[in-house]
Amino acid sequence: MELQQKIDLIKNNETVAMLAPTFAIDFKYPNIIGMLRRLGFKEVTELTFGARMVNWAYANYIKDHPEQELFIASPCPVVVALVKTQYPDLKKYLMPVVSPMAAMAKVHKKFNPNCKVIFISPCWAKEIIEAPKYKEIDAVITLKDLKQIFEKEKIKEEDFTENYYFDSFIREYTKIYPVSGGLASTSHIQKLFKEGEIFITDGVENIKKVFEEFKAKTKPYKFLDLLNCPGGCIGGPAINRQDLSIDQRKEIIFAYTHRSSEATMGEHEGKVKDAKDIDLSTNF
Ligand code: SF4
């Protein structure tokens, strides 16, 4: 979809923006919420509640499969593609659970079947590989696209100085999901495994090494939390601020997490009961 088609989609429909928390590396919070509303979005939310639901589904799946020897987290489409193409014998270990993007889109379509859901992404893989699998996702706009759109539409960060709030379904503690290890540390799965069985890494060469170690049975891995980009999604290639180091980006995400937590979630908080009946399973 061309950039102009994406702009038209936003302006001519009842659109919901789902922001990956990596947005904070490129845009100021809460200004971004006002900017997206000016662009034409009717609702602006984060993926955080989707991540909460994915955590819930992961824990349930692990408890239901006590005999399974390995679980590979599957929110990164590049990791999924790597397993499918280069390690097909490990495909059976990919967690058959949708990503936070798909989970959150399903939540929005449950409560408003007529809305158009657009994900704001730190990478192109979400748009090209993953989103086409799900009818609930109408479009993906990368952070690089979004910067261009704001420039084209003359929407400037400094013009949005009010204290804007996300519209619905947010959860605070999963904002660190895009940092490598965010999934393992927020999903409460630690108590399901022994020390050393959970392993977190990022970057394709590190991931390949881990797969080889598992196959050679030299490590006690049971749960692998893997993200393709350096440092996790904060290293995504469609982030504008490629000049910042991974440590600087991490600091920004932690500062954003702290800042936005000061806002009371109240009616905006997503609750498990809102989404318990949604099918979060998938296959690869
Ligand atoms: S790790 Fe990179 S490729 Fe994978 S979902 Fe995150 S930003 Fe996209």
Side-chain angles (χ1 to χ4, degrees):
M1 201 186 281
E2 298 296 322
L3 207 60
Q4 189 56 49
Q5 284 175 288
K6 292 177 180 177
I7 296 172
D8 293 342
L9 179 71
I10 296 165
K11 289 183 187 264
N12 301 328
N13 292 279
E14 198 177 325
T15 39
V16 177
M18 300 190 311
L19 282 161
T22 38
F23 81 82
I25 297 166
D26 280 338
F27 300 102
K28 276 195 189 139
Y29 168 87
N31 312 45
I32 183 73
I33 299 173
M35 293 165 80
L36 289 167
R37 286 190 189 137
R38 172 72 57 82
L39 191 56
F41 282 104
K42 300 293 176 297
E43 273 194 42
V44 181
T45 64
E46 277 192 312
L47 280 197
T48 46
F49 179 54
R52 166 70 185 92
M53 291 312 301
V54 168
N55 287 348
W56 177 79
Y58 269 38
N60 288 342
Y61 185 85
I62 292 164
K63 281 184 215 153
D64 289 345
H65 296 79
E67 305 304 322
Q68 189 166 317
E69 60 174 336
L70 180 70
F71 301 89
I72 303 175
S74 57
C76 174
V78 178
V79 171
V80 171
L82 178 75
V83 171
K84 285 167 74 176
T85 55
Q86 294 189 40
Y87 296 88
D89 47 331
L90 301 183
K91 196 178 118 183
K92 60 179 181 279
Y93 301 126
L94 284 169
M95 296 287 285
V97 174
V98 299
S99 69
M101 170 180 74
M104 197 63 206
K106 284 170 183 279
V107 171
H108 285 298
K109 288 283 163 99
K110 173 189 163 185
F111 286 92
N112 185 358
N114 297 323
C115 72
K116 300 281 184 198
V117 172
I118 300 180
F119 174 53
I120 314 285
S121 170
C123 70
W124 289 280
K126 287 281 184 189
E127 178 171 18
I128 297 163
I129 306 176
E130 191 187 347
K133 263 183 84 175
Y134 299 102
K135 65 180 186 321
E136 293 87 354
I137 302 161
D138 295 283
V140 174
I141 292 178
T142 66
L143 289 164
K144 285 196 171 174
D145 282 343
L146 189 61
K147 184 165 181 263
Q148 278 188 53
I149 291 173
F150 284 147
E151 282 166 7
K152 204 162 183 277
E153 297 292 310
K154 301 190 174 21
I155 296 174
K156 298 191 180 116
E157 203 161 65
E158 59 271 26
D159 293 338
F160 295 85
T161 52
E162 288 172 40
N163 207 6
Y164 307 97
Y165 293 98
F166 286 114
D167 285 297
S168 56
F169 301 124
I170 55 169
R171 283 301 272 241
E172 295 301 332
Y173 71 98
T174 51
K175 283 181 198 289
I176 61 158
Y177 229 74
V179 176
S180 184
L183 185 154
S185 66
T186 60
S187 59
H188 306 301
I189 56 164
Q190 288 88 346
K191 55 183 179 293
L192 303 177
F193 296 101
K194 298 193 196 85
E195 207 180 327
E197 290 182 339
I198 296 177
F199 194 78
I200 298 159
T201 197
D202 52 76
V204 71
E205 291 311 318
N206 292 332
I207 292 169
K208 285 181 175 176
K209 186 167 168 267
V210 168
F211 288 159
E212 295 303 335
E213 286 169 346
F214 171 76
K215 285 164 75 166
K217 302 209 176 301
T218 54
K219 300 278 179 175
Y221 301 143
K222 290 269 307 184
F223 183 90
L224 300 177
D225 178 2
L226 312 173
L227 290 169
N228 172 68
C229 297
C233 295
I234 57 170
I239 290 172
N240 292 283
R241 296 296 310 271
Q242 295 293 323
D243 57 309
L244 298 175
S245 70
I246 295 302
D247 281 345
Q248 286 172 314
R249 298 183 209 185
K250 214 183 276 183
E251 273 172 36
I252 291 171
I253 295 294
F254 289 144
Y256 161 61
T257 302
H258 178 68
R259 169 132 197 251
S260 60
S261 294
E262 289 165 6
T264 311
M265 286 191 287
E267 61 181 303
H268 303 295
E269 182 181 0
K271 308 236 170 54
V272 172
K273 66 177 171 52
D274 296 325
K276 230 176 171 174
D277 57 337
I278 295 174
D279 181 8
L280 297 177
S281 66
T282 192
N283 52 52
F284 297 108

